[in-house]
Amino acid sequence: MNAPIENSNFAVASRTESKRFPDGSLLVRAGTLPWTPWAMEGTRFKLLSINRSVGIYTVLLQIDPNTQTPDHHHFGEAHAFVLEGDFAYEYGTIYKGDYIVEAGGINHEPTIGENGCLLYVAFFGGISGVGEDGKPAGDIVDCEWMYRAALANGAAGHLPPPPMQERNATISAAK
């Protein structure tokens, strides 16, 4: 194993510690994060990063075998790399090792294969359910929804809190 660079100005993260560094860099030991139930039945996630200023969040997304996802709407693009398993929908079957960019503004209902699926996904803007009229409906699963869910599961310590919480914590510490 490589030794840390000796002249670093930062405290080095341990082998099991996810850590935000003063320069804004982030190291996530994803194996130490618990799985958090996600917005769709049969799914769970590990929130890796969030960028509130542009509405992007990245996750590991695990989906149970033979799951028919509900119709859902993408407000922005979703970039997915299949780490394990497969899923299928109007574009065909997406297999392990495939990368797909799902366009923003679309609705769809992927079906997960018999081995389930593990994805690395970057969501741009989030998703929601779809109403009977085919338009977005229900909760919007965005950066803040993801952060609150991960926080409630003890899986958000490596991520910055929402700006007002961060500001309030700084003010309290200064008193």
Side-chain angles (χ1 to χ4, degrees):
M1 182 165 90
N2 294 336
I5 298 171
E6 293 300 323
N7 64 358
S8 173
N9 294 324
F10 306 122
V12 176
S14 73
R15 176 92 174 114
T16 59
E17 174 188 26
S18 293
K19 186 172 181 78
R20 280 186 293 146
F21 296 96
D23 68 356
S25 297
L26 174 66
L27 170 64
V28 180
R29 306 284 192 202
T32 67
L33 295 176
W35 288 102
T36 299
W38 199 45
M40 297 179 194
E41 190 172 330
T43 64
R44 63 210 63 70
F45 72 94
K46 292 185 180 196
L47 183 57
L48 302 175
S49 69
I50 53 176
N51 183 326
R52 290 177 174 93
S53 65
V54 291
I56 297 171
Y57 56 96
T58 60
V59 300
L60 290 176
L61 184 61
Q62 189 176 58
I63 311 170
D64 290 342
N66 302 310
T67 297
Q68 174 61 59
T69 67
D71 195 10
H72 58 277
H73 177 81
H74 287 258
F75 289 99
E77 292 179 352
H79 293 230
F81 181 80
V82 182
L83 298 165
E84 297 174 5
D86 59 75
F87 63 96
Y89 50 179
E90 62 269 24
Y91 312 122
T93 300
I94 314 303
Y95 299 101
K96 177 181 177 178
D98 288 347
Y99 174 79
I100 185 164
V101 177
E102 297 173 340
I106 65 168
N107 299 347
H108 63 181
E109 303 176 63
T111 300
I112 308 307
E114 65 184 27
N115 295 314
C117 197
L118 177 63
L119 307 165
Y120 168 80
V121 186
F123 286 97
F124 294 73
I127 67 170
S128 75
V130 176
E132 290 182 18
D133 61 359
K135 295 182 180 174
D139 288 343
I140 296 175
V141 179
D142 60 4
C143 290
E144 296 313 320
W145 188 103
M146 297 295 289
Y147 178 79
R148 287 189 307 272
L151 184 66
N153 193 39
H158 61 290
L159 299 168
M164 281 308 281
Q165 282 183 337
E166 195 167 84
R167 179 179 170 272
N168 292 342
T170 301
I171 291 169
S172 294
K175 289 182 180 180

